[in-house]
Amino acid sequence: MKIHVIIVIALVAGCGNGSDPAGIPGDTAPDSAPEILLEIETPTEGAWTASPLLLVTGRLLGATGGTVSVGALVAPVTDGFFSLWVPLEEGENTLTLVHDPTGATASVTVSLDALPPLLSVEAPTRGQVLPEGGDLEVRFDAMDEEGLTAVRVQGADLSPGGPFTALLHPTPGMQHVVVEAEDSHGNLAREHRSILVGPLVPCEDLAELPAL
């Protein structure tokens, strides 16, 4: 009589060495999805501008295509980069950008200062007449919430801190006085005053003047 013996040997790959008990070669956990980031390159956080229209630029990491929006403004993402012009309101503005379709967001806060300093000229008055050979005192005040960087009369700088006074020595004839104040963001306020130095000529005397 013949006896057939079948021996079955079960091999468990990696048994006892702490490896994956499933023992399936090449069976590894899938990589996690890449993080999607929306980065703003310009402007920088806390920046100031004197322009009411601001260019916002940046890039998208971890995804391609789509659009970036700020409120109702929308711009495409091209080769990973985007740019769009955003209107600002006077003062602090917080801009929140959103990428569609991923929903990635980024924010930046910028401030707009488009208003010139307040400039008030007390003297001279418009059309003021001065005697020939006299001095002209220019009196005025200037102020700005963000501070003044320059105050000038006829182009000459004055020391900071108002009210301001400047003494001029005008020559005879019609003279033009220019007063300026500039803030720390380049906004300029300017006032003009035209004055006459010397006596007025009576109308009846004009006929006696030689012809030109």
Side-chain angles (χ1 to χ4, degrees):
M1 180 179 64
K2 295 180 179 180
I3 300 176
H4 298 275
V5 179
I6 300 175
I7 301 175
V8 178
I9 302 176
L11 298 176
V12 179
C15 180
N17 62 3
S19 301
D20 183 1
I24 302 176
D27 183 21
T28 59
D31 294 335
S32 59
E35 184 178 8
I36 299 175
L37 295 176
L38 192 62
E39 290 188 352
I40 298 175
E41 296 183 333
T42 60
T44 58
E45 178 66 24
W48 282 85
T49 178
S51 173
L53 200 58
L54 179 69
L55 179 62
V56 179
T57 66
R59 58 179 179 167
L60 177 68
L61 303 174
T64 58
T67 60
V68 170
S69 62
V70 180
L73 302 174
V74 180
V77 177
T78 304
D79 296 329
F81 295 89
F82 65 87
S83 64
L84 69 167
W85 290 94
V86 180
L88 301 177
E89 297 180 354
E90 187 70 19
E92 188 176 280
N93 295 257
T94 298
L95 309 177
T96 300
L97 283 66
V98 181
H99 177 248
D100 183 48
T102 66
T105 63
S107 296
V108 65
T109 298
V110 295
S111 296
L112 170 65
D113 179 15
L115 299 178
L118 296 176
L119 181 58
S120 176
V121 178
E122 180 182 352
T125 58
R126 300 182 188 277
Q128 183 174 337
V129 179
L130 297 177
E132 186 175 342
D135 292 333
L136 173 64
E137 186 178 59
V138 181
R139 299 190 306 274
F140 66 98
D141 201 1
M143 61 187 66
D144 189 271
E145 291 183 355
E146 302 304 324
L148 298 172
T149 57
V151 177
R152 294 180 288 267
V153 174
Q154 301 298 79
D157 291 321
L158 300 184
S159 300
F164 301 92
T165 301
L167 193 63
L168 303 180
H169 308 286
T171 57
M174 186 68 70
Q175 303 297 329
H176 197 58
V177 179
V178 181
V179 179
E180 297 175 320
E182 187 174 350
D183 68 15
S184 57
H185 301 123
N187 299 303
L188 182 67
R190 180 183 290 119
E191 285 285 340
H192 303 264
R193 294 291 187 271
S194 293
I195 64 171
L196 178 64
V197 181
L200 292 173
V201 178
C203 293
E204 57 269 21
D205 294 343
L206 294 178
E208 302 177 2
L209 295 177
L212 297 178

